[in-house]
Amino acid sequence: MELRADTVVAALEMAESSESNDEETVDVVDYESLPVTVSLGTQMTAGAVAGILEHTVMYPVDSVKTRMQSLYPDPRAQYRGVYEALRRIVRTEGVSRPLRGMNITILGAGPAHALYFACYEKMKWTLSDIIKHGGNSHVANGIAGSMATVLHDAVMNPAEVVKTRMQMYNSPYKGVWDCIRTVRRTEGLAAFYRSYTTQLTMNIPFQALHFITYEFMQEQLNPRRQYQPQTHIVSGALAGAVAAAATTPLDVCKTLLNTQENVALNSAHVSGHLSGMANAFRTVYQLGGIPAYFKGAQARIIFQMPSTAIAWSVYEFFKYFFSKHNLEKSGESSF
């Protein structure tokens, strides 16, 4: 009798343990990405919020990064570090100067990240079904992120062109619309996409490194892949730092293509407008050698670390919120 009681207790414990593990597995699997039942509008809203926060919170540092990447800066715009640059800009040019061009960034970041987020989620589900029959695949994540980048940059590139020109020292433009009209009149509509191929060449490896590093850090810090804001912040920050450092040379070339610095191009004996990644690479090397490719690296890393931490925190929150909502909804419908 005692033997039978022990056997029953053991069986019940095993059943409870199995049930608990099954629930835990469901939570982990459901949390890996936004549920398929989440509407396209919700996905796009999540992306837009994440993108706007990512680009605006650290925007003053982005302004410093753009100036520090100048190949031939004005003597009054040569800075030793990010903090010193911000202090000088505020003191000599006004408090609002580091925020110049933020409005066009917000206008571009919202729809760009909305498309990125929606495309990423759709392709991630589709490719995961093919590669791992519905399981989470890092390969699928990387390919989905790269494909989404093409859409994101198509929307964001014109805003990047205007933003960088507004951020430069002694920018001749009165405002965003003046910049858009002037560039269109003097350089044509093609000017807004002159750096598009360079942007893609930079952002595709950036996103690949970004996703690989983030997933690796999550495996180390959060192997059960639960919602833990602190691990998402740390993983996102490190992912942003690694990707930013590795792709800084491409960002320098992109900045040169966007700004078309007259002094720099004249020094390199470039007539007309500089176009193409290969030409940008040659020009940067001609003007400053290998060190020129890493101008503004410190500012870029300082900008990207909190930016990607914010983006991942927002994204993971949406995943958690909607996954939990779906589980609760399915629980209610089962009664």
Side-chain angles (χ1 to χ4, degrees), residues 36 46 60 114 141 180 183:
V36 287
N141 295 346
I180 293 171
V183 172

Side-chain angles (χ1 to χ4, degrees), residues 103-270:
N103 48 353
I104 191 68
T105 300
I106 293 171
L107 285 173
H113 279 75
L115 286 173
Y116 175 88
F117 199 84
C119 177
Y120 173 73
E121 287 293 337
K122 175 65 176 174
M123 295 311 301
K124 181 178 179 178
W125 278 101
T126 303
L127 294 171
S128 290
D129 279 339
I130 296 169
I131 297 170
K132 287 191 75 174
H133 304 291
N136 184 48
S137 166
H138 295 334
V139 174
N141 295 346
I143 296 172
S146 298
M147 294 174 74
T149 297
V150 176
L151 273 180
H152 170 276
D153 288 0
V155 176
M156 196 66 189
N157 206 84
E160 282 282 331
V161 172
V162 176
K163 179 204 75 170
T164 50
R165 294 192 184 215
M166 297 290 291
Q167 289 173 331
M168 293 297 285
Y169 177 77
N170 210 19
S171 173
Y173 309 106
K174 296 174 184 176
V176 165
W177 296 114
D178 177 51
C179 180
I180 293 171
R181 284 194 298 266
T182 304
V183 172
R184 183 180 178 279
R185 187 179 67 252
T186 59
E187 301 176 44
L189 288 173
F192 295 106
Y193 283 94
R194 195 176 284 131
S195 63
Y196 182 55
T197 53
T198 303
Q199 183 94 338
L200 284 179
T201 307
M202 176 184 73
N203 279 346
I204 288 175
F206 178 94
Q207 293 295 352
L209 280 170
H210 181 195
F211 278 109
I212 290 168
T213 305
Y214 182 81
E215 294 292 347
F216 173 77
M217 291 305 302
Q218 280 293 283
E219 286 170 1
Q220 304 305 308
L221 302 176
N222 185 18
R224 294 173 68 186
R225 303 309 293 263
Q226 296 176 326
Y227 179 62
Q228 296 178 354
Q230 66 275 17
T231 68
H232 305 316
I233 291 169
V234 172
S235 299
L238 287 173
V242 170
T247 56
T248 293
L250 293 165
D251 195 44
V252 171
C253 294
K254 182 204 75 173
T255 298
L256 179 61
L257 288 170
N258 280 342
T259 58
Q260 298 288 313
E261 288 182 73
N262 290 327
V263 177
L265 297 184
N266 290 336
S267 300
H269 306 293
V270 175

